[in-house]
Amino acid sequence: MKITDTLRYASDAATGTPLRTGLLMLAMSIGVAAVVILTALGDGARRYVVGQFSAIGSNLVIVLPGRSETRGFNPANLVTSTPRDLTVDDASALLRVSGVLRISPVLIGTTEISAAGKLREAMMVGTNDDFIRVRQLKLGLGHFLSKGDLRHGAAEVVLGALIRQEIFGTENPLGKTVRIGDRRLRVVGVLTEGGSGMGMTTDELLIVPVATAQAMLNTNTLFRILVEARSREQIGEVKTRVLKMITQRHEGEEDVTVITQDAVLQTFDKILNVLTLGVAGIAAISLAVAGILVMNVMLVSVTQRTGEIGLLKALGATSAAVRQLFMVEAVLLSLTGGMLGTGLGYLGAAILRHLYPTFPAYPPLWAVLAGLGTALASGLIFGVMPARRAAQLDPIQALTKR
Amino acid sequence: MPEAAESLIVLNGIDRTFTLGDSKVHALRNVNLNIAPGEYIAVMGPSGSGKSTLLNLIGLLDRADAGTYQLEGRDVTTLDPDEQAKVRSERIGFIFQSFHLVPRLTAAANIELPLTLSGMPAAERAKRVSQALKEYGLTDRAQHRSNELSGGQRQRVAIARATILRPAVLLADEPTGNLDRVTGEEVVRLLEALNTQGMTLIVVTHDQALGARARRQIRMDDGSIVSDVTSKPSQPT
Ligand SMILES: Nc1ncnc2c1ncn2[C@@H]1O[C@H](COP(=O)(O)OP(=O)(O)O)[C@@H](O)[C@H]1O
Ligand SMILES: [Mg+2]
């Protein structure tokens, strides 16, 4: 039998039985689409959280005051139990550690901002000019804090987008003076809307020089120091050196905690991989269910056609020719169903992304391939297997079988 | 035994036993038969006497448990399944009581099926099919599916399909069983015309009148041939 004739016979068989073909397409496409959409959801959740964490900065090492409880018992800590504060000088010293690209001291406090007769409470961040790069923020207007001595703060402020809108509306705030706490500061820049990181929006922040903030809050301490390593590979070394430097400066006492975002990210990656696997598990179950559905439709329909197989053999078809006919038919049906399912799945994922633009619901390739592969395999196996068996019967057995 | 070389079909000691649960049914017991090319044979006998089983065996749709079967001087009982398929394709035409058309295919496509299966080029197939449609008066029914055809038309499609590759033997198992008298006559005349052209014809039938038209009548009972009569005097050879 010629391959074109085989193809035509097989496609006639598929289109000649619309109900069976329809059921099969339905089973196939639901199975594959479920896998694609569910894994898109799972992987989307993973990407979303990873993205949120990456927004803090890339090669970040964070210094927190206070010793982490996991470091074991040290008799020296019994003597001086109160940890030393993190200071601006500590921050400046870290700039000399090798492998450090830039640093940002951070001090946080709540305060009030008033201008043009409006007053509101806001979170104030005291930091330096590098903060915008370390935290990877974007400016909408003006410039960021000017470069300068950490101990002498200029009277300037950068506003979050929402604060700017509430105080100034559509008016240009650059160069205007606002009152923050008991000080008058000049607005030099405005952040773009929607900046975030560490689960906190930057829209409602006031960013001022660290010395200015310290003076306003009447403190010498820092909330933390952000250290950016030159490369991802150097994060580990930088972490060790930073800890050593601070310990040295604090008279040999290890009274700070140094964490890397890398460790946090890795932990989250692990958790989220488990999540994705879980979702893939659900998808696999739905695929198994669909596979069983495909199996039944195929088994029933091929068994119903045992008579046809007998007839083909009576007309002189070899067992191999019969097997080939049913194989091609199963391939056609499975491929079409699989494609349809993949299309539906991608469409579903696209709709999800359209509805929730911040949620990156892209199906991972491995899941799409696994889904397609399972659907194709079940369609093929259960389409070809009963046909093979029927083709091995004597023609009269196949013909009279009911 | 008569000279085997001149025979088309030689059956020797054929047994066929079916197992139903614990009991064994002897559908054929030690059947010996010799058929010359061009013969017209009617196989008769009560229901369950083994007529269909015999015909299926001759048509290579079934195989014997014991005995030998020679077709055109060749032992076909020992052929492998693919060689048997080739013999079915080229030398044997089979017609069933229930037509066995592929329902989703048109009359033309059903007739074309053996040609397609044999790998014949499409142009040649189209020629042969339209020729066959004309011969069997089915040209205006060519594009109809079997559910749009009458019983007589269905059986004509089946005959066209069975004979399109010009087999040596045409086997018909109660070909008129599902047809009314007039349509049945028509079908029988078609088969007889093919026999006149030289095709060996073996018809299984219940119908005495129909059986009487054959030159040679074989009567079966309980799996054995009980009589084998050739009415030589009345029919010139
Ligand atoms: N596939 C089968 N399985 C079991 N018994 C069968 C089978 N085919 C035929 N028989 C039995 O063999 C005997 C002969 O059947 P068959 O050749 O169909 O008779 P006929 O065609 O003369 O009516 C019957 O008893 C029938 O029941
Ligand atoms: Mg019968």
Coordinates of all heavy atoms in Angstrom, one line a residue, chain A residues 397 400, chain B residues 18-20 25-27 45-54 56 173-174 204 206, ligand 1:
Chain A
Q397 N -11.9 -14.8 12.2 CA -12.1 -14.5 13.6 C -12.4 -13.1 13.8 O -13.2 -12.6 14.5 CB -10.9 -14.9 14.4 CG -10.8 -16.4 14.8 CD -9.5 -16.6 15.5 OE1 -8.4 -16.7 14.9 NE2 -9.6 -16.7 16.8
T400 N -15.9 -12.0 12.3 CA -17.1 -12.4 12.9 C -17.1 -12.0 14.4 O -18.1 -12.2 15.1 CB -17.3 -13.9 12.9 OG1 -16.1 -14.5 13.4 CG2 -17.6 -14.3 11.4
Chain B
F18 N -13.6 -26.7 16.6 CA -13.7 -25.5 17.4 C -13.9 -25.9 18.9 O -14.6 -26.9 19.2 CB -14.9 -24.6 17.0 CG -14.8 -24.0 15.7 CD1 -15.5 -24.5 14.6 CD2 -13.9 -23.0 15.5 CE1 -15.3 -23.9 13.3 CE2 -13.7 -22.4 14.2 CZ -14.5 -22.9 13.1
T19 N -13.3 -25.2 19.8 CA -13.5 -25.5 21.2 C -14.4 -24.5 21.8 O -14.1 -23.3 21.7 CB -12.1 -25.5 21.9 OG1 -11.2 -26.2 21.1 CG2 -12.2 -26.1 23.3
L20 N -15.5 -24.9 22.3 CA -16.4 -24.0 23.0 C -16.4 -24.4 24.5 O -17.1 -25.4 24.8 CB -17.8 -24.1 22.4 CG -18.1 -23.2 21.2 CD1 -19.5 -23.5 20.7 CD2 -17.9 -21.7 21.5
V25 N -16.4 -28.9 19.0 CA -17.3 -29.0 17.9 C -16.5 -29.4 16.6 O -15.6 -28.6 16.2 CB -18.0 -27.7 17.6 CG1 -19.0 -27.8 16.5 CG2 -18.7 -27.2 18.9
H26 N -16.8 -30.5 16.0 CA -16.1 -30.9 14.8 C -16.9 -30.2 13.6 O -17.8 -30.7 13.1 CB -16.1 -32.4 14.6 CG -15.2 -33.0 15.6 ND1 -13.8 -33.2 15.3 CD2 -15.4 -33.5 16.8 CE1 -13.3 -33.8 16.3 NE2 -14.2 -34.0 17.3
A27 N -16.4 -29.1 13.2 CA -17.0 -28.3 12.1 C -16.7 -29.0 10.8 O -17.6 -29.1 9.9 CB -16.6 -26.9 12.1
G45 N -26.7 -28.0 2.6 CA -26.8 -28.8 3.8 C -27.4 -28.0 4.9 O -27.6 -26.8 4.8
P46 N -27.8 -28.7 6.0 CA -28.5 -28.0 7.1 C -27.5 -27.0 7.8 O -26.3 -27.1 7.6 CB -28.8 -29.2 8.1 CG -28.0 -30.3 7.7 CD -27.7 -30.2 6.2
S47 N -28.2 -26.2 8.5 CA -27.4 -25.1 9.3 C -26.5 -25.8 10.3 O -26.9 -26.8 10.9 CB -28.4 -24.3 10.0 OG -27.8 -23.3 10.7
G48 N -25.3 -25.3 10.3 CA -24.3 -25.9 11.3 C -23.6 -27.1 10.7 O -22.8 -27.8 11.5
S49 N -23.8 -27.4 9.5 CA -23.1 -28.6 8.9 C -21.7 -28.4 8.5 O -21.0 -29.3 8.1 CB -24.0 -29.2 7.7 OG -24.1 -28.1 6.7
G50 N -21.2 -27.1 8.5 CA -19.8 -26.9 8.2 C -19.6 -26.2 6.9 O -18.5 -26.0 6.5
K51 N -20.7 -25.7 6.2 CA -20.5 -25.1 4.9 C -19.6 -23.9 5.0 O -18.7 -23.7 4.2 CB -21.9 -24.7 4.4 CG -22.9 -25.9 4.3 CD -24.3 -25.4 3.7 CE -25.0 -24.3 4.5 NZ -25.5 -24.8 5.9
S52 N -20.0 -23.0 5.9 CA -19.2 -21.7 6.0 C -17.8 -22.0 6.3 O -16.8 -21.4 5.8 CB -19.8 -20.8 7.0 OG -21.1 -20.4 6.6
T53 N -17.6 -23.0 7.3 CA -16.2 -23.3 7.7 C -15.4 -23.8 6.5 O -14.3 -23.4 6.3 CB -16.3 -24.4 8.8 OG1 -17.2 -24.0 9.8 CG2 -14.9 -24.7 9.3
L54 N -16.0 -24.6 5.6 CA -15.4 -25.1 4.5 C -15.0 -24.0 3.5 O -13.8 -23.9 3.1 CB -16.3 -26.1 3.7 CG -15.7 -26.7 2.4 CD1 -14.5 -27.5 2.7 CD2 -16.8 -27.5 1.7
N56 N -14.6 -20.8 4.2 CA -13.6 -19.9 4.9 C -12.2 -20.6 4.7 O -11.2 -19.8 4.5 CB -13.9 -19.7 6.4 CG -15.2 -18.9 6.6 OD1 -15.6 -18.2 5.7 ND2 -15.8 -19.1 7.7
D173 N -20.7 -16.9 0.3 CA -21.4 -17.6 1.5 C -22.8 -17.0 1.6 O -22.9 -15.9 2.1 CB -20.5 -17.4 2.7 CG -21.0 -18.3 3.9 OD1 -22.1 -18.9 3.7 OD2 -20.3 -18.4 4.9
E174 N -23.7 -17.8 1.2 CA -25.1 -17.3 1.2 C -25.3 -15.9 0.7 O -25.8 -15.0 1.4 CB -25.7 -17.5 2.6 CG -25.5 -18.9 3.1 CD -26.5 -19.3 4.2 OE1 -27.6 -18.8 4.2 OE2 -26.2 -20.2 4.9
V204 N -22.3 -21.1 -1.3 CA -23.0 -21.8 -0.2 C -24.4 -21.3 -0.2 O -24.7 -20.1 -0.3 CB -22.3 -21.5 1.1 CG1 -23.2 -22.0 2.3 CG2 -21.0 -22.2 1.2
H206 N -28.8 -22.1 1.1 CA -29.9 -22.9 1.7 C -30.9 -23.2 0.6 O -31.7 -24.1 0.8 CB -30.6 -22.0 2.7 CG -30.1 -22.2 4.1 ND1 -29.3 -21.4 4.8 CD2 -30.3 -23.3 4.9 CE1 -29.0 -21.9 6.0 NE2 -29.6 -23.1 6.1
Ligands
LIG1 N1 -15.8 -19.5 15.6 C1 -16.5 -20.6 16.0 N2 -16.4 -21.0 17.2 C2 -17.0 -22.1 17.7 N3 -17.8 -22.9 16.9 C3 -17.9 -22.5 15.6 C4 -17.3 -21.4 15.1 N4 -17.6 -21.3 13.8 C5 -18.4 -22.3 13.5 N5 -18.6 -23.1 14.6 C6 -19.4 -24.3 14.7 O1 -19.0 -25.2 13.7 C7 -20.2 -25.8 13.1 C8 -20.2 -25.4 11.6 O2 -20.5 -24.1 11.5 P1 -20.7 -23.4 10.1 O3 -19.6 -23.8 9.2 O4 -20.9 -22.0 10.3 O5 -22.1 -24.1 9.6 P2 -23.0 -23.7 8.4 O6 -22.4 -22.5 7.7 O7 -23.2 -24.9 7.6 O8 -24.3 -23.3 9.0 C9 -21.4 -25.3 13.9 O9 -21.7 -26.2 14.8 C10 -20.9 -24.0 14.5 O10 -21.6 -23.8 15.7

